[in-house]
Amino acid sequence: RNGIVRPEDIPHFAGKIYDESQRLITLIGDIIKLSRLDENQVPMERESVDLLETARDVVQQLASVARKNGVTLVTNGSHGVVNGVRQVLGEMVYNLCENAVKYNRPGGRVWVDVRQAADHVELCVKDTGIGIPQEMLSHIYDFGFSTKAAEGRGFGMSMIQNIVVRHDGTIDVDTEQGAGTTFTLIFQIKRQKEGSQ
């Protein structure tokens, strides 16, 4: 702004400004989405959603990002159908997978696994990334939580927890610092009573 940057340094500083502005845009978007969920402003029209198909779509969307980061991203499992909001569940899976890629290491892997049992559907996202310090685990769902080892996960994890709860699910995390993290989401399947329409 003051004209004190040498012309040859402009691309470097412009790149930093661009990256920071994108980070802030993402942060603002996360805050808006979370506030809308908290205030029930997101339409909650439910339908049958296959989490395996959702996971495959997300893996395809993140393929170029994974390649850029040197991370292998794969989907396994069987079809698992839950009654929920397609767009919101897609956002949930995307955030989990994006974090798993972003906080991984070159040559690392991310597995997205979906399984359907008699009474529940399980979605598991496992990575070989940096992990989260054990002493921080109780805070990862706090609004705005951030640490060096979990930087950027805060708003996303708050939204993920909110989405899981709104879909009658539970979320569990198993992590080891420097050895990766596994998020396991379990959604109960509600069966209609006999004779009900």
Short mmCIF file of all heavy atoms in Angstrom, two decimals, residues 6-33:
data_model
loop_
_atom_site.label_atom_id
_atom_site.label_comp_id
_atom_site.label_asym_id
_atom_site.label_seq_id
_atom_site.Cartn_x
_atom_site.Cartn_y
_atom_site.Cartn_z
N ARG A 6 9.57 -3.88 -3.28
CA ARG A 6 10.24 -3.94 -4.58
C ARG A 6 9.36 -4.68 -5.57
O ARG A 6 8.67 -5.63 -5.20
CB ARG A 6 11.59 -4.63 -4.44
CG ARG A 6 12.59 -3.89 -3.56
CD ARG A 6 13.89 -4.68 -3.45
NE ARG A 6 13.65 -6.01 -2.88
CZ ARG A 6 14.59 -6.94 -2.76
NH1 ARG A 6 15.83 -6.70 -3.19
NH2 ARG A 6 14.31 -8.11 -2.22
N PRO A 7 9.37 -4.27 -6.84
CA PRO A 7 8.52 -4.93 -7.85
C PRO A 7 8.68 -6.44 -7.89
O PRO A 7 7.70 -7.17 -8.05
CB PRO A 7 8.98 -4.28 -9.15
CG PRO A 7 9.49 -2.94 -8.75
CD PRO A 7 10.13 -3.14 -7.40
N GLU A 8 9.91 -6.93 -7.72
CA GLU A 8 10.12 -8.37 -7.80
C GLU A 8 9.55 -9.12 -6.59
O GLU A 8 9.38 -10.34 -6.62
CB GLU A 8 11.62 -8.69 -7.93
CG GLU A 8 12.49 -8.20 -6.79
CD GLU A 8 13.07 -6.81 -7.04
OE1 GLU A 8 12.43 -6.01 -7.78
OE2 GLU A 8 14.16 -6.53 -6.50
N ASP A 9 9.24 -8.37 -5.50
CA ASP A 9 8.68 -9.01 -4.30
C ASP A 9 7.15 -9.00 -4.29
O ASP A 9 6.52 -9.62 -3.43
CB ASP A 9 9.18 -8.30 -3.03
CG ASP A 9 10.66 -8.53 -2.80
OD1 ASP A 9 11.17 -9.58 -3.26
OD2 ASP A 9 11.30 -7.68 -2.17
N ILE A 10 6.55 -8.27 -5.23
CA ILE A 10 5.09 -8.13 -5.24
C ILE A 10 4.38 -9.48 -5.36
O ILE A 10 3.42 -9.74 -4.61
CB ILE A 10 4.65 -7.15 -6.35
CG1 ILE A 10 5.06 -5.72 -5.95
CG2 ILE A 10 3.14 -7.24 -6.58
CD1 ILE A 10 4.74 -4.68 -7.01
N PRO A 11 4.78 -10.36 -6.29
CA PRO A 11 4.07 -11.66 -6.38
C PRO A 11 4.08 -12.44 -5.07
O PRO A 11 3.09 -13.06 -4.70
CB PRO A 11 4.85 -12.40 -7.48
CG PRO A 11 5.43 -11.31 -8.32
CD PRO A 11 5.80 -10.23 -7.34
N HIS A 12 5.21 -12.38 -4.34
CA HIS A 12 5.32 -13.11 -3.08
C HIS A 12 4.32 -12.55 -2.06
O HIS A 12 3.56 -13.32 -1.45
CB HIS A 12 6.74 -13.00 -2.53
CG HIS A 12 6.88 -13.51 -1.13
ND1 HIS A 12 6.83 -14.86 -0.82
CD2 HIS A 12 7.04 -12.84 0.05
CE1 HIS A 12 6.96 -15.00 0.50
NE2 HIS A 12 7.10 -13.80 1.04
N PHE A 13 4.31 -11.23 -1.90
CA PHE A 13 3.40 -10.62 -0.92
C PHE A 13 1.95 -10.75 -1.37
O PHE A 13 1.06 -10.95 -0.54
CB PHE A 13 3.77 -9.16 -0.69
CG PHE A 13 4.99 -8.98 0.16
CD1 PHE A 13 6.21 -8.64 -0.39
CD2 PHE A 13 4.92 -9.18 1.54
CE1 PHE A 13 7.35 -8.50 0.39
CE2 PHE A 13 6.05 -9.03 2.33
CZ PHE A 13 7.27 -8.69 1.76
N ALA A 14 1.70 -10.62 -2.67
CA ALA A 14 0.34 -10.77 -3.18
C ALA A 14 -0.17 -12.18 -2.91
O ALA A 14 -1.35 -12.38 -2.57
CB ALA A 14 0.29 -10.46 -4.68
N GLY A 15 0.70 -13.16 -3.05
CA GLY A 15 0.32 -14.54 -2.77
C GLY A 15 -0.06 -14.74 -1.32
O GLY A 15 -1.05 -15.41 -1.00
N LYS A 16 0.72 -14.13 -0.42
CA LYS A 16 0.40 -14.23 1.01
C LYS A 16 -0.93 -13.56 1.33
O LYS A 16 -1.73 -14.07 2.12
CB LYS A 16 1.52 -13.60 1.85
CG LYS A 16 2.76 -14.47 1.98
CD LYS A 16 3.75 -13.85 2.94
CE LYS A 16 4.87 -14.81 3.26
NZ LYS A 16 4.42 -15.96 4.05
N ILE A 17 -1.16 -12.39 0.72
CA ILE A 17 -2.42 -11.68 0.93
C ILE A 17 -3.60 -12.51 0.43
O ILE A 17 -4.64 -12.63 1.09
CB ILE A 17 -2.39 -10.31 0.22
CG1 ILE A 17 -1.37 -9.39 0.91
CG2 ILE A 17 -3.78 -9.66 0.22
CD1 ILE A 17 -1.06 -8.13 0.12
N TYR A 18 -3.43 -13.12 -0.74
CA TYR A 18 -4.49 -13.95 -1.31
C TYR A 18 -4.79 -15.15 -0.40
O TYR A 18 -5.95 -15.43 -0.08
CB TYR A 18 -4.09 -14.45 -2.70
CG TYR A 18 -5.09 -15.40 -3.31
CD1 TYR A 18 -6.24 -14.92 -3.95
CD2 TYR A 18 -4.91 -16.78 -3.22
CE1 TYR A 18 -7.16 -15.80 -4.50
CE2 TYR A 18 -5.82 -17.66 -3.77
CZ TYR A 18 -6.95 -17.16 -4.40
OH TYR A 18 -7.87 -18.03 -4.93
N ASP A 19 -3.75 -15.86 0.04
CA ASP A 19 -3.95 -17.03 0.90
C ASP A 19 -4.66 -16.65 2.19
O ASP A 19 -5.56 -17.35 2.66
CB ASP A 19 -2.60 -17.69 1.23
CG ASP A 19 -1.99 -18.37 0.01
OD1 ASP A 19 -2.72 -18.62 -0.98
OD2 ASP A 19 -0.78 -18.65 0.05
N GLU A 20 -4.26 -15.52 2.78
CA GLU A 20 -4.86 -15.09 4.03
C GLU A 20 -6.31 -14.68 3.83
O GLU A 20 -7.18 -14.96 4.66
CB GLU A 20 -4.06 -13.94 4.64
CG GLU A 20 -4.48 -13.55 6.04
CD GLU A 20 -4.23 -14.64 7.06
OE1 GLU A 20 -3.51 -15.60 6.75
OE2 GLU A 20 -4.79 -14.53 8.18
N SER A 21 -6.59 -14.02 2.72
CA SER A 21 -7.98 -13.61 2.45
C SER A 21 -8.87 -14.84 2.24
O SER A 21 -10.02 -14.86 2.69
CB SER A 21 -8.04 -12.69 1.22
OG SER A 21 -7.68 -13.38 0.04
N GLN A 22 -8.33 -15.88 1.57
CA GLN A 22 -9.10 -17.11 1.39
C GLN A 22 -9.37 -17.78 2.73
O GLN A 22 -10.45 -18.33 2.96
CB GLN A 22 -8.36 -18.07 0.46
CG GLN A 22 -8.26 -17.58 -0.98
CD GLN A 22 -9.62 -17.31 -1.59
OE1 GLN A 22 -10.49 -18.17 -1.63
NE2 GLN A 22 -9.81 -16.09 -2.08
N ARG A 23 -8.38 -17.76 3.61
CA ARG A 23 -8.58 -18.35 4.94
C ARG A 23 -9.67 -17.61 5.70
O ARG A 23 -10.53 -18.23 6.35
CB ARG A 23 -7.27 -18.29 5.74
CG ARG A 23 -7.33 -19.03 7.08
CD ARG A 23 -6.09 -18.77 7.91
NE ARG A 23 -6.03 -17.40 8.38
CZ ARG A 23 -6.70 -16.96 9.45
NH1 ARG A 23 -7.46 -17.78 10.15
NH2 ARG A 23 -6.61 -15.71 9.84
N LEU A 24 -9.67 -16.28 5.61
CA LEU A 24 -10.69 -15.49 6.30
C LEU A 24 -12.07 -15.70 5.71
O LEU A 24 -13.07 -15.75 6.43
CB LEU A 24 -10.31 -14.00 6.25
CG LEU A 24 -9.09 -13.60 7.09
CD1 LEU A 24 -8.73 -12.14 6.84
CD2 LEU A 24 -9.36 -13.84 8.56
N ILE A 25 -12.15 -15.82 4.39
CA ILE A 25 -13.43 -16.09 3.73
C ILE A 25 -14.00 -17.42 4.21
O ILE A 25 -15.19 -17.54 4.53
CB ILE A 25 -13.27 -16.09 2.20
CG1 ILE A 25 -13.05 -14.65 1.70
CG2 ILE A 25 -14.51 -16.69 1.52
CD1 ILE A 25 -12.64 -14.57 0.24
N THR A 26 -13.12 -18.44 4.29
CA THR A 26 -13.56 -19.75 4.78
C THR A 26 -14.02 -19.66 6.22
O THR A 26 -15.04 -20.25 6.60
CB THR A 26 -12.40 -20.76 4.67
OG1 THR A 26 -12.02 -20.87 3.29
CG2 THR A 26 -12.82 -22.13 5.19
N LEU A 27 -13.28 -18.93 7.04
CA LEU A 27 -13.63 -18.76 8.44
C LEU A 27 -14.98 -18.09 8.60
O LEU A 27 -15.84 -18.54 9.37
CB LEU A 27 -12.55 -17.93 9.14
CG LEU A 27 -12.71 -17.67 10.64
CD1 LEU A 27 -12.70 -18.97 11.42
CD2 LEU A 27 -11.61 -16.75 11.13
N ILE A 28 -15.21 -17.02 7.85
CA ILE A 28 -16.50 -16.32 7.90
C ILE A 28 -17.64 -17.24 7.47
O ILE A 28 -18.71 -17.27 8.08
CB ILE A 28 -16.45 -15.05 7.02
CG1 ILE A 28 -15.49 -14.02 7.64
CG2 ILE A 28 -17.86 -14.44 6.86
CD1 ILE A 28 -15.14 -12.89 6.70
N GLY A 29 -17.39 -18.01 6.39
CA GLY A 29 -18.40 -18.95 5.92
C GLY A 29 -18.75 -19.98 6.98
O GLY A 29 -19.93 -20.31 7.17
N ASP A 30 -17.73 -20.48 7.68
CA ASP A 30 -17.97 -21.46 8.75
C ASP A 30 -18.81 -20.86 9.87
O ASP A 30 -19.72 -21.50 10.41
CB ASP A 30 -16.64 -21.96 9.32
CG ASP A 30 -15.97 -22.98 8.41
OD1 ASP A 30 -16.63 -23.43 7.45
OD2 ASP A 30 -14.80 -23.30 8.64
N ILE A 31 -18.51 -19.62 10.25
CA ILE A 31 -19.26 -18.96 11.32
C ILE A 31 -20.72 -18.80 10.92
O ILE A 31 -21.63 -19.06 11.71
CB ILE A 31 -18.63 -17.58 11.64
CG1 ILE A 31 -17.23 -17.76 12.24
CG2 ILE A 31 -19.52 -16.80 12.61
CD1 ILE A 31 -16.46 -16.47 12.40
N ILE A 32 -20.96 -18.38 9.69
CA ILE A 32 -22.33 -18.19 9.21
C ILE A 32 -23.08 -19.52 9.20
O ILE A 32 -24.24 -19.61 9.66
CB ILE A 32 -22.33 -17.56 7.80
CG1 ILE A 32 -21.83 -16.12 7.89
CG2 ILE A 32 -23.73 -17.60 7.19
CD1 ILE A 32 -21.59 -15.47 6.54
N LYS A 33 -22.44 -20.58 8.66
CA LYS A 33 -23.10 -21.89 8.61
C LYS A 33 -23.44 -22.39 10.01
O LYS A 33 -24.53 -22.92 10.24
CB LYS A 33 -22.19 -22.89 7.90
CG LYS A 33 -22.04 -22.65 6.41
CD LYS A 33 -20.99 -23.58 5.82
CE LYS A 33 -20.71 -23.26 4.37
NZ LYS A 33 -19.60 -24.07 3.83
#
